[in-house]
Amino acid sequence: MSPSPIWHPFTQHGLGEPIPLVTRAEGAALYTSDGRRIVDAISSWWVTTHGHSHPRIVAAIREQAEVLDQIIFAGWTHEPAEAVARGLCERMPAELSRVFFSDSGSTSVEVALKMALGYWRAHDPKRHRILVLEHGYHGDTIGAMSVGARGVFNRAYEPLLFDVGTVPFPVAGQEQDTLDALEHACADGAAAFIVEPLVLGAGGMHFYAPAVLREMRAICARYGVLFIADEVMTGWGRTGTLLACDQADIVPDILCLSKGLTGGAIPLAVTMATEPIFEAHYGSDRARMFFHSSSYTANPIACAAARANLAIWDEEPVQERIASLAARQQVRLDRLATHPRVHGARRIGTIAALEVGGGEGYLSAVAPRLLAHFRERDLLLRPLGNTVYVMPPYCIEDADLDRVYGAIEEACDCI
Ligand code: PMP
């Protein structure tokens, strides 16, 4: 066979690492063309919540594809989108009364930033500065990169990235520094503050306390700075509650959701906003409308999958599965935490993380060795530098979880 022409994301093809061909997936398992069963310990980049190829989501996709596959969404609508929007409004905080569809986490963030700027264009055009949290990650499009941490990922694109105000990460014990810096930046008249609530994912699985999130929200409210919660990763139960914001008992002005919105089966995203943000774009002036769209906005097949996801949340014991996975991860993490090479063992909800050896960055020399170690053991784990994290589908079974933690322990011994 001729070599594949595919250029893979976040892959250095020059290293010649094997790229397995996956033919089937079910629950927490992936099956490859050479007959291996791989445990998906990171939910295929954090998307798969109820397990791969959940029968209800598969059926919904199949049925919808036969009826209405795609329709322009500017000026048209369809029942799956209406049902998802209504379902989201029932489940999410009542203040978030408007639902804007897009296709990925990154686009949901771009939409959030544009909504914030649109709001300020109507109220005070001088306010356009965006505040961000150190180590944040919000996607790989230009705007999303601009509000994320600068580093090796985006050095080449730096000239295209817009300037932001960065607030230090709330390191345990030094939270007041973060709050003071945020207060200072807000007092200068920022437009919005974007955060990953409770967990900074791609930046290294850094956790911080709900009380800090609550304080940050309160500071923004005091200065009228719009608070954007990027729950693309943390939403849909990942941190133990439907939203991470729920643990701090806060409501953002703008909320980004994707990944688990369809149970992880098919791309879809929403940006939810409060009424004043919608109203800033409302009127008879066509120049004020919200200028954002993509070809597949609110694709009916994706919306049907999202509707099935909402039904699963209603009718299956999802919260119990999340609580069980959290407890089962904790037992194994506690065991591992006593290993002399394990540092910073931590867990929130279904996400467990730890560092192997000393602190190093994303390009740590340990990372490729860890990756190979897990690959050889038929495990899908993708460390961030020397940070190993486990974020499986909620249905993962004990035997698979044991394999995952056994391999991490072995890695600590031999890498
Ligand atoms: N925001 C956060 C918090 C994320 O974790 C991610 C993806 N990992 C994104 C945005 C971007 O989502 P996508 O890859 O779907 O564009």
Side-chain angles (χ1 to χ4, degrees), residues 45-46 104-107 109 137-139 196 202 230 232-233 258-259:
W45 248 345
W46 321 344
S104 70
S106 302
T107 52
V109 167
Y137 176 85
H138 300 282
E196 295 163 87
D230 175 356
V232 167
M233 188 276 270
S258 186
K259 295 189 189 281

Side-chain angles (χ1 to χ4, degrees), residues 208-226:
Y208 62 95
V212 179
L213 180 61
R214 198 174 160 73
E215 272 304 305
M216 293 194 301
R217 206 284 170 253
I219 291 169
C220 288
R222 262 204 307 281
Y223 292 93
V225 172
L226 297 176

Side-chain angles (χ1 to χ4, degrees), residues 94-340:
E95 292 88 335
L96 298 166
S97 51
R98 298 287 167 171
V99 181
F100 190 93
F101 284 97
S102 64
D103 320 305
S104 70
S106 302
T107 52
S108 73
V109 167
E110 299 283 350
V111 165
L113 297 172
K114 287 173 71 172
M115 282 178 175
L117 270 281
Y119 173 86
W120 284 114
R121 183 165 185 249
H123 292 284
D124 181 357
K126 289 191 299 302
R127 285 178 76 159
H128 48 73
R129 190 164 174 77
I130 306 292
L131 305 177
V132 308
L133 205 51
E134 182 189 19
H135 305 310
Y137 176 85
H138 300 282
D140 282 341
T141 51
I142 299 293
M145 274 193 293
S146 296
V147 294
R150 307 294 158 98
V152 65
F153 317 100
N154 47 38
R155 197 154 291 139
Y157 327 117
E158 190 102 38
L160 298 181
L161 306 185
F162 58 76
D163 191 32
V164 294
T166 303
V167 173
F169 176 78
V171 176
Q174 297 164 37
E175 292 92 344
Q176 197 55 46
D177 295 348
T178 301
L179 301 177
D180 291 346
L182 178 62
E183 178 117 31
H184 202 261
C186 285
D188 275 353
F193 178 45
I194 181 164
V195 285
E196 295 163 87
L198 303 187
V199 183
L200 275 62
M205 295 296 157
H206 301 289
F207 300 174
Y208 62 95
V212 179
L213 180 61
R214 198 174 160 73
E215 272 304 305
M216 293 194 301
R217 206 284 170 253
I219 291 169
C220 288
R222 262 204 307 281
Y223 292 93
V225 172
L226 297 176
F227 191 90
I228 304 173
D230 175 356
E231 295 242 18
V232 167
M233 188 276 270
T234 50
W236 304 106
R238 270 294 161 208
T239 67
T241 41
L242 180 61
L243 296 179
C245 282
D246 297 343
Q247 294 181 44
D249 199 17
I250 59 158
V251 178
D253 296 296
I254 303 179
L255 170 70
C256 302
L257 293 172
S258 186
K259 295 189 189 281
L261 172 58
T262 60
I266 190 166
L268 188 70
V270 292
T271 308
M272 298 183 69
T274 59
E275 210 55 24
I277 293 169
F278 176 77
E279 270 161 20
H281 297 83
Y282 184 82
S284 53
D285 180 2
R286 291 172 64 231
R288 259 175 79 163
M289 72 172 100
F290 187 51
F291 290 106
H292 191 95
S293 155
S294 67
S295 315
Y296 290 104
T297 298
N299 170 263
I301 301 172
C303 287
R307 182 169 56 183
N309 170 53
L310 295 180
I312 290 168
W313 272 86
D314 281 346
E315 293 159 29
E316 295 188 17
V318 179
Q319 280 297 357
E320 285 81 344
R321 285 179 201 146
I322 290 168
S324 153
L325 175 54
R328 292 184 293 134
Q329 291 247 70
Q330 190 64 51
V331 172
R332 288 159 177 85
L333 193 64
D334 284 345
R335 240 170 3 229
L336 207 54
T338 60
H339 194 287

